[in-house]
Amino acid sequence: MFGGGVRTYLPGLDPAWKPDAQRHPVMSRRTIEADPRRAASTLAALPQRLSSRQPLPAALLSIPRQRTRPRTTADGTDLAQLRSDSAALTALLDEAERAEAMRVDEINDLYAELAKADQASNEVRGENEELYDKVQESQRLIRFLREQLQEAGQFALAHAPADAEDITYPETFSELLDRLNELTGISFTGNHKVTRSLDSQSVDNWLYVAWDGLLALNHFAQSSADGAASGDFLSWCKSDASSAFPFPAAKVAMRESDTVARKAKLRTERMLPVPEAVSPDGRVFMQAHLKIGGGNTIAPRLHFYDDCPRSGKMYVGYLGPHLRNTLT
């Protein structure tokens, strides 16, 4: 490159495309001249790792892997035999160390790939959040225009049927808790104090997402009681039946990871209260949850338990900061 720098590209990338170029920073001439051996080792490491992952040619796959041991010396003394055995074992240990180092490098590469996948997932989630904000802004604009029409005396026009249900959102999480009696299909069994604490930490659209989620859960519970719902809540969100009170399916998780489910401390945090009529222990494992927010250390979650087939109720056992998992 210009100035004596070096940039390394993987196969299939286009150096002329700016996003590809930005993902492969330059090793400057100054870095190379400061320590040529180290620079050469760094530049060679990636091609070496990639080549080591390639399958062997078919002609080589059929050749068995054999290790030769040093021949016994001519004098045949015990000391010479021990030295011969020691040399053979040392060679095997060196080979094992090299193989282990390769496995460690591969594991590190997999972690790096996982980090990239997580970053891509966060970017998609951010795009979903932006779209959600735009929908909320459109609804606020509709309410504002209706108020303007009412003030102008155009009551019929202001209250003409609309495609979307006009929703009055709570202004705080404390008000949200006070209004839960409006949702006959929801029974909140969680800690009110934890939920109210979100008022001092709330950002973005957490309150709107939480209320939309509760409305959707309530609508699902009512439809289930009427026999109009089939499948679980996630399936409901993906169907046209949820159009009256839609909720993004991408924000619904019906299960926790296997690690969370198996690890006692993490599972215990999700053993949340329900009436004894639902569970004799007064608690159930509420792994199903709604992703209320993300992008920071709070990332609120709403955990729920579907008891609609028996009681016709959705039990919400938790609404607050993200419970601990394998990443916290």
Side-chain angles (χ1 to χ4, degrees), residues 6 10 20 44 94 265:
V6 176
L10 293 174
D20 273 356
D94 289 342
K265 290 183 178 180

Side-chain angles (χ1 to χ4, degrees), residues 152-201:
Q154 302 291 329
F155 294 100
L157 184 59
H159 295 282
D163 293 335
E165 185 77 14
D166 191 14
I167 300 173
T168 302
Y169 289 91
E171 296 182 0
T172 63
F173 279 96
S174 295
E175 182 185 343
L176 178 147
L177 292 172
D178 293 338
R179 290 182 55 187
L180 285 176
N181 58 352
E182 300 175 15
L183 311 179
T184 57
I186 299 291
S187 180
F188 185 81
T189 60
N191 188 319
H192 287 65
K193 183 178 180 180
V194 171
T195 302
R196 291 194 181 98
S197 70
L198 292 175
D199 283 329
S200 62
Q201 309 169 82

Side-chain angles (χ1 to χ4, degrees), residues 205-223:
N205 56 0
W206 291 356
L207 191 59
Y208 294 110
V209 177
W211 189 247
D212 280 347
L214 288 167
L215 290 175
L217 287 169
N218 181 64
H219 188 214
F220 173 79
Q222 292 174 338
S223 299

Side-chain angles (χ1 to χ4, degrees), residues 284-317:
V284 295
F285 180 39
M286 288 194 191
Q287 55 180 333
H289 59 276
L290 307 183
K291 303 170 186 178
I292 304 304
N296 62 18
T297 56
I298 302 171
R301 295 294 186 262
L302 184 154
H303 286 257
F304 64 92
Y305 179 74
D306 182 0
D307 195 54
C308 293
R310 293 192 300 174
S311 63
K313 290 281 188 180
M314 276 286 194
Y315 289 94
V316 176

